[in-house]
Amino acid sequence: METPDLGFTHRFVPAPGGSAAPTLLLLHGTGGDEGDLLGLGRVLDPSAALLSPRGKVLENGMPRFFRRLAEGVFDEDDLVRRTAELAAFVARAADTYSFDRGRVIAVGYSNGANIAACMLLLHPGALAGAVLFHAMTPLVLETTPDLSGTPVFLGAGRSDPLIPPRGTEDLAARLRAAGAEVRLSWQPGGHALTQTEVEAARVWFRTQEALPS
Ligand code: MLT
């Protein structure tokens, strides 16, 4: 079947167990694409549907989900606009592929985790939960959204040169202040996604009763 034009180049893999299963919104890192996290999604939830868009911003030819002015310095106007665009894409995909938009869980790495964090903060209710690897506070809001009970796993590296540990700690604090149930899992390594943190996320995922299953 030809992939419908929903505004993002993307892959959709229907839930093997039927449409009652949750949908994982897979968001790759800088230089990645819509194929990158399909395997990770399957590891986290073998029964979920997978929706995986490709970031539309090109930085030296590398796809990203929003513009940055320098490493760790984000173009906030672009970030806000792209986050709304991504939320609208998910809503259109839910109509097109007939999945429940109230049962969408983001799984993001690096730049993809940062836009997912922004989606949690700016569009509370758009995500039922999130697994964010190597994320930081993407932008500072004057208001605190209501994320009561939303389960969020944050995987981080103590020596990550791109995501300073205090950026992840700040994100965890802001999500907790909004009422989210945050699990912050530290690994000794850097920016790469390791098997150990994927395993920690998998175990966490299985024990979250608040996540749709
Ligand atoms: C970002 O730009 O979102 C972060 O710096 C991580 C990355 O390098 O993609």
Side-chain angles (χ1 to χ4, degrees), residues 128-140:
V131 175
L132 308 181
F133 296 105
H134 304 262
M136 59 197 270
T137 298
L139 87 174
V140 173

Side-chain angles (χ1 to χ4, degrees), residues 78-100:
D78 189 64
L79 173 57
V80 169
R81 192 165 61 80
R82 303 272 178 191
T83 304
E85 195 180 45
L86 184 62
F89 160 74
V90 173
R92 273 197 303 276
D95 291 343
T96 304
Y97 296 120
S98 304
F99 63 79
D100 182 346

Side-chain angles (χ1 to χ4, degrees), residues 5-209:
D5 180 5
L6 303 178
F8 280 79
T9 298
H10 68 278
R11 293 271 302 271
F12 178 75
V13 183
S19 59
T23 297
L24 303 186
L25 172 65
L26 304 174
L27 301 165
H28 62 78
T30 301
D33 68 24
E34 67 278 17
D36 281 11
L37 301 187
L38 294 171
L40 171 64
R42 263 294 154 265
V43 167
L44 290 177
D45 188 344
S47 65
L50 307 175
L51 176 66
S52 189
R54 185 192 306 173
K56 292 203 272 190
V57 171
L58 289 182
E59 184 184 271
N60 301 321
M62 296 186 295
R64 286 175 52 84
F65 286 97
F66 57 89
R67 283 187 65 225
R68 64 180 162 184
L69 307 173
E71 221 164 69
V73 185
F74 302 149
D75 176 337
E76 292 198 356
D77 290 342
D78 189 64
L79 173 57
V80 169
R81 192 165 61 80
R82 303 272 178 191
T83 304
E85 195 180 45
L86 184 62
F89 160 74
V90 173
R92 273 197 303 276
D95 291 343
T96 304
Y97 296 120
S98 304
F99 63 79
D100 182 346
R101 71 170 79 167
R103 294 159 71 77
V104 176
I105 301 163
V107 177
Y109 168 63
S110 188
N111 180 245
N114 285 339
I115 197 162
C118 198
M119 210 161 149
L120 281 169
L121 295 169
L122 289 180
H123 300 269
L127 296 173
V131 175
L132 308 181
F133 296 105
H134 304 262
M136 59 197 270
T137 298
L139 87 174
V140 173
L141 300 177
E142 278 163 22
T143 54
T144 302
D146 181 4
L147 292 170
S148 300
T150 305
V152 180
F153 176 95
L154 296 178
R158 284 267 178 227
S159 346
D160 189 331
L162 293 176
I163 306 287
R166 67 175 180 285
T168 306
E169 272 155 10
D170 186 78
L171 175 61
R174 287 175 195 281
L175 293 172
R176 284 188 180 122
E181 294 291 334
V182 178
R183 165 77 191 283
L184 177 48
S185 170
W186 289 102
Q187 304 297 326
H191 195 58
L193 184 56
T194 67
Q195 203 50 49
T196 316
E197 60 191 320
V198 170
E199 181 55 17
R202 193 185 69 82
V203 170
W204 174 87
F205 201 97
R206 304 247 151 125
T207 56
Q208 293 310 300
E209 287 181 4

